[in-house]
Amino acid sequence: MPVALITGASRGFGRATALALAEEGWSLVVDARTSYDLDLTTHQLRTAGATSVIAVAGDVADQAHRGRLADAVTSLGSLDVLINNASVLGPSPQPTLSAYPIPVLKEVYAVNTFAPLALTQALLPQLRASRGRVVNISSDAAVEAYEGWGGYGSSKAALEQWSRVLAAEEPDLRVYVFDPGDMRTRMHQAAFPGEDISDRPEPETVVPALQKLLASELPSGRYSSATLLAEVGTGAPA
Ligand SMILES: NC(=O)c1ccc[n+]([C@@H]2O[C@H](COP(=O)([O-])OP(=O)(O)OC[C@H]3O[C@@H](n4cnc5c(N)ncnc54)[C@H](OP(=O)(O)O)[C@@H]3O)[C@@H](O)[C@H]2O)c1
């Protein structure tokens, strides 16, 4: 069965994606910083049918942790898909750029922009060997100028640009940017503090779009859940 490494898999979209792949029998390497949450999810992944689950608690921005993730992949023998999903919003409420503390912005970039690249670098030998896929989870905030979204949004814009360049440099890989759209998660609630976000879709409803991308022969590029889900709904070819 195929092997995926999913960062930030203890809750939200990462967990929903991991559960869907577990149900298909994938072998999974997963992480998150909070061991308690990660342990709960790991149990659910095993119950759901994953062939193998290796959970490594830690911070993707930490080089030693990324080394442990790479070791876990090595122990499974191969890697088909790397999903760089772990991400932080930054302050809540989000400050305008005029007041954005640069040390905090550096922390946001460390997790959202540099860690996914460093993890991809560490796993390139395995990804090249499998002609595998890198999926970088982005946001419409990377391409739209929403007031207050300059920190998080620019970190995702940089993620998207290195994804495009990596795709050009590594033509045997598929490097996808995936925009999931709004989802009812802890991050989304932090982005809209005090607001009722119950009208936003659950992350589980977005996962079929990512599954479609993973099962497709679509070339490297940017894909949104809305577009992919519309095709799922109509049965139209990719
Ligand atoms: N929700 C939305 O509306 C929305 C919209 C557009 C894009 N996105 C993107 O979708 C992805 C998933 O977001 P979400 O809404 O599911 O977020 P979430 O509910 O906050 O979940 C984030 C996950 O990442 C983990 N994580 C956070 N920082 C980490 C770090 N430094 N190292 C390792 N794990 C870390 C969290 O666990 P710990 O806190 O325990 O580490 C958790 O498992 C993100 O890339 C986000 O930018 C979300």
Side-chain angles (χ1 to χ4, degrees):
M1 289 306 285
V3 178
L5 165 50
I6 307 171
T7 65
S10 68
R11 65 171 187 266
F13 183 67
R15 175 178 169 279
T17 299
L19 276 168
L21 297 188
E23 285 168 7
E24 294 178 354
W26 287 56
S27 291
L28 300 170
V29 178
V30 291
D31 89 341
R33 292 166 299 181
T34 311
S35 300
Y36 179 81
D37 296 344
L38 188 62
D39 288 348
L40 282 178
T41 298
T42 301
H43 175 72
Q44 292 166 343
L45 295 174
R46 293 197 172 114
T47 305
T51 297
S52 171
V53 184
I54 303 178
V56 186
D59 187 331
V60 288
D62 174 51
Q63 186 177 358
H65 171 65
R66 293 193 300 268
R68 287 191 285 277
L69 290 173
D71 290 345
V73 166
T74 301
S75 75
L76 291 176
S78 62
L79 180 66
D80 299 283
V81 177
L82 166 61
I83 302 179
N84 286 308
N85 169 78
S87 191
V88 291
L89 179 72
S92 172
Q94 298 185 86
T96 60
L97 286 173
S98 62
Y100 208 112
I102 297 301
V104 177
L105 187 59
K106 286 181 178 175
E107 291 171 9
V108 171
Y109 273 60
V111 175
N112 295 1
T113 313
F114 302 136
L117 178 56
L119 191 56
T120 304
Q121 288 173 335
L123 294 166
L124 268 179
Q126 291 93 327
L127 289 164
R128 286 175 180 144
S130 66
R131 300 173 73 88
R133 299 165 196 246
V134 179
V135 183
N136 289 326
I137 308 300
S138 189
S139 166
D140 62 342
V143 293
E144 301 289 344
Y146 301 129
E147 289 175 33
W149 288 81
Y152 169 89
S154 63
S155 75
K156 292 290 193 181
L159 173 77
E160 294 202 9
Q161 180 61 359
W162 75 244
S163 302
R164 277 190 285 274
V165 174
L166 184 71
E169 293 174 349
E170 301 284 342
D172 288 342
L173 303 186
R174 287 191 171 84
V175 184
Y176 296 136
V177 166
F178 179 76
D179 176 359
D182 287 354
M183 299 177 291
R184 198 184 316 165
T185 67
R186 192 183 299 180
M187 177 187 284
H188 196 85
Q189 186 66 75
F192 298 94
E195 286 187 34
D196 178 7
I197 63 163
S198 61
D199 61 336
R200 272 59 153 196
E202 294 281 7
E204 287 76 11
T205 66
V206 175
V207 171
L210 182 53
Q211 286 177 293
K212 180 184 171 104
L213 191 56
L214 294 181
S216 77
E217 299 300 324
L218 287 166
S220 295
R222 187 182 203 281
Y223 297 90
S224 74
S225 65
T227 305
L228 290 164
L229 283 173
E231 289 166 352
V232 170
T234 61

